[in-house]
PDB file of all heavy atoms in Angstrom:
ATOM      1  N   LYS A 237      12.275   4.127 -17.687  1.00 90.00           N
ATOM      2  CA  LYS A 237      11.371   2.934 -17.746  1.00 90.00           C
ATOM      3  C   LYS A 237      11.699   1.877 -16.725  1.00 90.00           C
ATOM      4  O   LYS A 237      11.265   0.695 -16.839  1.00 90.00           O
ATOM      5  CB  LYS A 237      11.666   2.321 -19.146  1.00 90.00           C
ATOM      6  CG  LYS A 237      11.112   3.324 -20.251  1.00 90.00           C
ATOM      7  CD  LYS A 237      11.445   2.923 -21.715  1.00 90.00           C
ATOM      8  CE  LYS A 237      10.887   3.900 -22.633  1.00 90.00           C
ATOM      9  NZ  LYS A 237      11.367   5.284 -22.505  1.00 90.00           N
ATOM     10  N   GLY A 239      11.503  -0.583 -13.965  1.00 92.00           N
ATOM     11  CA  GLY A 239      10.379  -1.257 -13.290  1.00 92.00           C
ATOM     12  C   GLY A 239       9.049  -1.226 -14.046  1.00 92.00           C
ATOM     13  O   GLY A 239       8.016  -1.805 -13.574  1.00 92.00           O
ATOM     14  N   LEU A 240       9.034  -0.633 -15.222  1.00 93.00           N
ATOM     15  CA  LEU A 240       7.697  -0.351 -15.886  1.00 93.00           C
ATOM     16  C   LEU A 240       7.085  -1.713 -16.329  1.00 93.00           C
ATOM     17  O   LEU A 240       5.936  -1.946 -16.289  1.00 93.00           O
ATOM     18  CB  LEU A 240       7.986   0.476 -17.121  1.00 93.00           C
ATOM     19  CG  LEU A 240       6.641   0.761 -17.883  1.00 93.00           C
ATOM     20  CD1 LEU A 240       5.692   1.548 -17.044  1.00 93.00           C
ATOM     21  CD2 LEU A 240       7.017   1.610 -19.134  1.00 93.00           C
ATOM     22  N   VAL A 241       7.965  -2.709 -16.880  1.00 94.00           N
ATOM     23  CA  VAL A 241       7.421  -3.923 -17.428  1.00 94.00           C
ATOM     24  C   VAL A 241       6.656  -4.701 -16.341  1.00 94.00           C
ATOM     25  O   VAL A 241       5.526  -5.237 -16.571  1.00 94.00           O
ATOM     26  CB  VAL A 241       8.557  -4.736 -18.059  1.00 94.00           C
ATOM     27  CG1 VAL A 241       7.976  -6.059 -18.439  1.00 94.00           C
ATOM     28  CG2 VAL A 241       9.064  -4.060 -19.238  1.00 94.00           C
ATOM     29  N   ASP A 242       7.125  -4.752 -15.139  1.00 93.00           N
ATOM     30  CA  ASP A 242       6.511  -5.500 -14.037  1.00 93.00           C
ATOM     31  C   ASP A 242       5.138  -4.793 -13.818  1.00 93.00           C
ATOM     32  O   ASP A 242       4.105  -5.567 -13.622  1.00 93.00           O
ATOM     33  CB  ASP A 242       7.335  -5.438 -12.748  1.00 93.00           C
ATOM     34  CG  ASP A 242       8.601  -6.306 -12.848  1.00 93.00           C
ATOM     35  OD1 ASP A 242       8.567  -7.237 -13.810  1.00 93.00           O
ATOM     36  OD2 ASP A 242       9.497  -6.137 -12.099  1.00 93.00           O
ATOM     37  N   ALA A 244       3.343  -2.944 -15.907  1.00 94.00           N
ATOM     38  CA  ALA A 244       2.374  -3.214 -16.996  1.00 94.00           C
ATOM     39  C   ALA A 244       1.838  -4.619 -17.042  1.00 94.00           C
ATOM     40  O   ALA A 244       0.726  -4.881 -17.397  1.00 94.00           O
ATOM     41  CB  ALA A 244       3.134  -2.830 -18.276  1.00 94.00           C
ATOM     42  N   ASN A 245       2.672  -5.608 -16.750  1.00 93.00           N
ATOM     43  CA  ASN A 245       2.215  -7.015 -16.721  1.00 93.00           C
ATOM     44  C   ASN A 245       1.168  -7.090 -15.576  1.00 93.00           C
ATOM     45  O   ASN A 245       0.172  -7.849 -15.733  1.00 93.00           O
ATOM     46  CB  ASN A 245       3.418  -7.929 -16.349  1.00 93.00           C
ATOM     47  CG  ASN A 245       4.229  -8.320 -17.619  1.00 93.00           C
ATOM     48  OD1 ASN A 245       3.600  -8.422 -18.677  1.00 93.00           O
ATOM     49  ND2 ASN A 245       5.506  -8.368 -17.422  1.00 93.00           N
ATOM     50  N   VAL A 248      -2.014  -5.840 -17.010  1.00 93.00           N
ATOM     51  CA  VAL A 248      -2.691  -6.767 -17.998  1.00 93.00           C
ATOM     52  C   VAL A 248      -3.329  -7.869 -17.287  1.00 93.00           C
ATOM     53  O   VAL A 248      -4.404  -8.329 -17.639  1.00 93.00           O
ATOM     54  CB  VAL A 248      -1.503  -7.296 -18.962  1.00 93.00           C
ATOM     55  CG1 VAL A 248      -2.089  -8.462 -19.793  1.00 93.00           C
ATOM     56  CG2 VAL A 248      -1.062  -6.243 -19.795  1.00 93.00           C
ATOM     57  N   ILE A 254      -4.145  -0.620 -22.157  1.00 92.00           N
ATOM     58  CA  ILE A 254      -3.043   0.225 -22.006  1.00 92.00           C
ATOM     59  C   ILE A 254      -2.872   1.151 -23.260  1.00 92.00           C
ATOM     60  O   ILE A 254      -2.775   0.606 -24.403  1.00 92.00           O
ATOM     61  CB  ILE A 254      -1.668  -0.499 -21.780  1.00 92.00           C
ATOM     62  CG1 ILE A 254      -1.753  -1.257 -20.452  1.00 92.00           C
ATOM     63  CG2 ILE A 254      -0.505   0.463 -21.787  1.00 92.00           C
ATOM     64  CD1 ILE A 254      -0.543  -2.100 -20.192  1.00 92.00           C
ATOM     65  N   GLY A 259       8.516   5.558 -27.544  1.00 85.00           N
ATOM     66  CA  GLY A 259       9.423   4.612 -27.000  1.00 85.00           C
ATOM     67  C   GLY A 259       8.935   3.717 -26.010  1.00 85.00           C
ATOM     68  O   GLY A 259       9.273   2.499 -25.859  1.00 85.00           O
ATOM     69  N   THR A 260       7.986   4.225 -25.279  1.00 90.00           N
ATOM     70  CA  THR A 260       7.315   3.418 -24.191  1.00 90.00           C
ATOM     71  C   THR A 260       6.421   2.305 -24.773  1.00 90.00           C
ATOM     72  O   THR A 260       6.451   1.212 -24.381  1.00 90.00           O
ATOM     73  CB  THR A 260       6.449   4.323 -23.238  1.00 90.00           C
ATOM     74  OG1 THR A 260       7.326   5.389 -22.704  1.00 90.00           O
ATOM     75  CG2 THR A 260       5.811   3.575 -22.127  1.00 90.00           C
ATOM     76  N   ALA A 261       5.705   2.737 -25.819  1.00 90.00           N
ATOM     77  CA  ALA A 261       4.853   1.700 -26.511  1.00 90.00           C
ATOM     78  C   ALA A 261       5.658   0.648 -27.102  1.00 90.00           C
ATOM     79  O   ALA A 261       5.327  -0.573 -27.065  1.00 90.00           O
ATOM     80  CB  ALA A 261       3.967   2.495 -27.527  1.00 90.00           C
ATOM     81  N   LYS A 262       6.914   1.128 -27.703  1.00 91.00           N
ATOM     82  CA  LYS A 262       7.723   0.053 -28.347  1.00 91.00           C
ATOM     83  C   LYS A 262       8.212  -0.945 -27.248  1.00 91.00           C
ATOM     84  O   LYS A 262       8.222  -2.089 -27.600  1.00 91.00           O
ATOM     85  CB  LYS A 262       8.892   0.788 -28.998  1.00 91.00           C
ATOM     86  CG  LYS A 262       9.852  -0.232 -29.841  1.00 91.00           C
ATOM     87  CD  LYS A 262      10.866   0.617 -30.513  1.00 91.00           C
ATOM     88  CE  LYS A 262      11.791  -0.364 -31.369  1.00 91.00           C
ATOM     89  NZ  LYS A 262      12.307  -1.543 -30.534  1.00 91.00           N
ATOM     90  N   LEU A 263       8.687  -0.441 -26.111  1.00 92.00           N
ATOM     91  CA  LEU A 263       9.147  -1.311 -25.095  1.00 92.00           C
ATOM     92  C   LEU A 263       8.178  -2.301 -24.732  1.00 92.00           C
ATOM     93  O   LEU A 263       8.375  -3.497 -24.616  1.00 92.00           O
ATOM     94  CB  LEU A 263       9.628  -0.455 -23.890  1.00 92.00           C
ATOM     95  CG  LEU A 263       9.932  -1.249 -22.656  1.00 92.00           C
ATOM     96  CD1 LEU A 263      11.203  -2.084 -22.837  1.00 92.00           C
ATOM     97  CD2 LEU A 263      10.136  -0.345 -21.427  1.00 92.00           C
ATOM     98  N   LEU A 264       6.955  -1.785 -24.398  1.00 92.00           N
ATOM     99  CA  LEU A 264       5.930  -2.714 -23.969  1.00 92.00           C
ATOM    100  C   LEU A 264       5.567  -3.703 -25.093  1.00 92.00           C
ATOM    101  O   LEU A 264       5.332  -4.981 -24.713  1.00 92.00           O
ATOM    102  CB  LEU A 264       4.683  -1.798 -23.597  1.00 92.00           C
ATOM    103  CG  LEU A 264       4.852  -0.885 -22.393  1.00 92.00           C
ATOM    104  CD1 LEU A 264       3.558  -0.152 -22.256  1.00 92.00           C
ATOM    105  CD2 LEU A 264       5.218  -1.553 -21.111  1.00 92.00           C
ATOM    106  N   ARG A 265       5.434  -3.254 -26.271  1.00 92.00           N
ATOM    107  CA  ARG A 265       5.077  -4.188 -27.335  1.00 92.00           C
ATOM    108  C   ARG A 265       6.204  -5.195 -27.458  1.00 92.00           C
ATOM    109  O   ARG A 265       5.913  -6.410 -27.662  1.00 92.00           O
ATOM    110  CB  ARG A 265       4.932  -3.388 -28.639  1.00 92.00           C
ATOM    111  CG  ARG A 265       4.149  -4.047 -29.699  1.00 92.00           C
ATOM    112  CD  ARG A 265       3.853  -3.165 -30.784  1.00 92.00           C
ATOM    113  NE  ARG A 265       2.644  -2.290 -30.515  1.00 92.00           N
ATOM    114  CZ  ARG A 265       2.662  -0.991 -30.450  1.00 92.00           C
ATOM    115  NH1 ARG A 265       3.819  -0.372 -30.675  1.00 92.00           N
ATOM    116  NH2 ARG A 265       1.661  -0.318 -30.137  1.00 92.00           N
ATOM    117  N   ASP A 266       7.413  -4.827 -27.424  1.00 92.00           N
ATOM    118  CA  ASP A 266       8.583  -5.745 -27.501  1.00 92.00           C
ATOM    119  C   ASP A 266       8.534  -6.846 -26.410  1.00 92.00           C
ATOM    120  O   ASP A 266       9.010  -7.912 -26.509  1.00 92.00           O
ATOM    121  CB  ASP A 266       9.957  -5.069 -27.508  1.00 92.00           C
ATOM    122  CG  ASP A 266      10.141  -4.222 -28.716  1.00 92.00           C
ATOM    123  OD1 ASP A 266       9.481  -4.493 -29.771  1.00 92.00           O
ATOM    124  OD2 ASP A 266      11.123  -3.415 -28.750  1.00 92.00           O
ATOM    125  N   LYS A 267       8.009  -6.449 -25.233  1.00 92.00           N
ATOM    126  CA  LYS A 267       7.811  -7.449 -24.199  1.00 92.00           C
ATOM    127  C   LYS A 267       6.525  -8.230 -24.254  1.00 92.00           C
ATOM    128  O   LYS A 267       6.258  -8.975 -23.248  1.00 92.00           O
ATOM    129  CB  LYS A 267       7.914  -6.680 -22.769  1.00 92.00           C
ATOM    130  CG  LYS A 267       9.265  -5.976 -22.495  1.00 92.00           C
ATOM    131  CD  LYS A 267      10.402  -6.943 -22.433  1.00 92.00           C
ATOM    132  CE  LYS A 267      11.711  -6.262 -22.132  1.00 92.00           C
ATOM    133  NZ  LYS A 267      12.842  -7.205 -21.966  1.00 92.00           N
ATOM    134  N   GLY A 268       5.894  -8.177 -25.317  1.00 92.00           N
ATOM    135  CA  GLY A 268       4.667  -8.931 -25.501  1.00 92.00           C
ATOM    136  C   GLY A 268       3.382  -8.396 -24.773  1.00 92.00           C
ATOM    137  O   GLY A 268       2.486  -9.159 -24.539  1.00 92.00           O
ATOM    138  N   ILE A 269       3.509  -7.143 -24.385  1.00 92.00           N
ATOM    139  CA  ILE A 269       2.348  -6.553 -23.670  1.00 92.00           C
ATOM    140  C   ILE A 269       1.461  -5.821 -24.574  1.00 92.00           C
ATOM    141  O   ILE A 269       1.944  -4.966 -25.392  1.00 92.00           O
ATOM    142  CB  ILE A 269       2.906  -5.535 -22.573  1.00 92.00           C
ATOM    143  CG1 ILE A 269       3.708  -6.336 -21.579  1.00 92.00           C
ATOM    144  CG2 ILE A 269       1.757  -4.836 -21.886  1.00 92.00           C
ATOM    145  CD1 ILE A 269       4.537  -5.451 -20.593  1.00 92.00           C
ATOM    146  N   PRO A 270       0.145  -6.128 -24.653  1.00 92.00           N
ATOM    147  CA  PRO A 270      -0.709  -5.448 -25.670  1.00 92.00           C
ATOM    148  C   PRO A 270      -0.928  -4.062 -25.351  1.00 92.00           C
ATOM    149  O   PRO A 270      -1.093  -3.656 -24.163  1.00 92.00           O
ATOM    150  CB  PRO A 270      -2.049  -6.210 -25.468  1.00 92.00           C
ATOM    151  CG  PRO A 270      -2.017  -6.826 -24.172  1.00 92.00           C
ATOM    152  CD  PRO A 270      -0.449  -7.110 -23.909  1.00 92.00           C
ATOM    153  N   VAL A 271      -0.726  -3.167 -26.345  1.00 91.00           N
ATOM    154  CA  VAL A 271      -0.804  -1.704 -26.173  1.00 91.00           C
ATOM    155  C   VAL A 271      -1.281  -1.025 -27.365  1.00 91.00           C
ATOM    156  O   VAL A 271      -1.094  -1.496 -28.448  1.00 91.00           O
ATOM    157  CB  VAL A 271       0.733  -1.198 -25.886  1.00 91.00           C
ATOM    158  CG1 VAL A 271       1.604  -1.498 -27.009  1.00 91.00           C
ATOM    159  CG2 VAL A 271       0.727   0.323 -25.539  1.00 91.00           C
TER     160      VAL A 271
END
Side-chain angles (χ1 to χ4, degrees):
K237 298 172 177 57
L240 182 63
V241 173
D242 289 340
N245 277 323
V248 171
I254 297 176
T260 304
K262 182 180 185 304
L263 169 68
L264 297 177
R265 199 170 281 118
D266 289 346
K267 295 296 183 179
I269 297 169
V271 60

